[in-house]
Amino acid sequence: MKVLKATMVMDKVLNTVIAICVIFSAYSCGQKEQKPPVPLPKPDDKTVEVKYSELGSVKTIPIKINGVSIDAIYDTGCSGVHLSLHELETLAKNNKFDMDDFLGYSYSTIADGSNVVNGVMVLKDITIGNDKPIIIKNVDATVSLNGQAPVLIGNGVFDKVAAMEIDNVNKCIRFKPYK
């Protein structure tokens, strides 16, 4: 008799737990609000907001190198700034590069693991943004001997700003300068 009562009590407890689970499931499966997973704070007056474009699976941003407008791939995997021979020729034609800016050669390991020889130069300035730009002076850059190589802007520039955030809803990158 005691076993029968214990079994009946266990059945009631089990039925109650099942009922609670069913009710909880019904409420938790509703439509979720469409929004970014984490709301971004509003930018302050010193934040520089740059719209990005998507080229395949990468983001490109407009920058100026020594005053010349160039679209660059935003690349946090790049250790610095990387230009192609084509951009170097464009800088030279616009009198924005001379041989005093050339520092020599270096070896770089690229994404496929191979090593390549690059020229090394100093860029007088990189400008990010238009209205209230961040201007970063004397940035070392590598130059690919391949004229088709993309322009990459990486950690050699990003390390000189206080913070960055990507806003995928508004398709912009916000750069916060050091105060």
Side-chain angles (χ1 to χ4, degrees):
M1 189 71 154
K2 288 184 181 181
V3 173
L4 183 59
K5 284 185 181 180
T7 304
M8 289 174 59
V9 169
M10 289 300 288
D11 284 345
K12 285 183 181 181
V13 169
L14 184 59
N15 287 338
T16 304
V17 169
I18 291 172
I20 291 172
C21 288
V22 167
I23 291 169
F24 179 74
S25 295
Y27 283 108
S28 67
C29 291
Q31 289 279 5
K32 295 199 182 212
E33 187 178 335
Q34 295 295 319
K35 65 178 181 178
V38 178
L40 297 174
K42 301 256 188 237
D44 61 25
D45 289 343
K46 295 180 181 176
T47 299
V48 174
E49 190 171 280
V50 179
K51 293 286 186 183
Y52 68 78
S53 299
E54 292 180 282
L55 180 63
S57 62
V58 297
K59 294 170 176 56
T60 63
I61 59 172
I63 62 171
K64 289 184 181 175
I65 296 177
N66 294 351
V68 176
S69 296
I70 295 175
D71 285 335
I73 294 174
Y74 175 86
D75 186 355
T76 58
C78 177
S79 61
V81 176
H82 188 72
L83 307 173
S84 74
L85 194 54
H86 173 74
E87 278 76 33
L88 181 60
E89 290 169 349
T90 300
L91 292 172
K93 286 178 191 175
N94 287 291
N95 295 319
K96 302 296 182 176
F97 169 78
D98 57 51
M99 286 310 292
D100 291 338
D101 300 327
F102 182 73
L103 301 175
Y105 296 95
S106 73
Y107 291 92
S108 299
T109 303
I110 59 175
D112 70 2
S114 61
N115 292 318
V116 294
V117 176
N118 294 310
V120 180
M121 64 180 284
V122 63
L123 304 173
K124 290 177 180 64
D125 59 71
I126 293 179
T127 304
I128 301 172
N130 291 320
D131 298 335
K132 46 185 177 168
I134 295 174
I135 299 172
I136 301 166
K137 302 270 187 195
N138 300 317
V139 177
D140 287 352
T142 56
V143 180
S144 172
L145 300 178
N146 175 353
Q148 303 302 315
V151 177
L152 306 175
I153 181 171
N155 292 316
V157 172
F158 303 151
D159 289 347
K160 296 182 181 185
V161 298
M164 298 173 301
E165 66 185 14
I166 298 174
D167 182 341
N168 288 314
V169 174
N170 296 307
K171 294 195 177 277
C172 66
I173 300 172
R174 294 187 187 102
F175 297 89
K176 296 182 183 190
Y178 284 104
K179 295 182 185 206

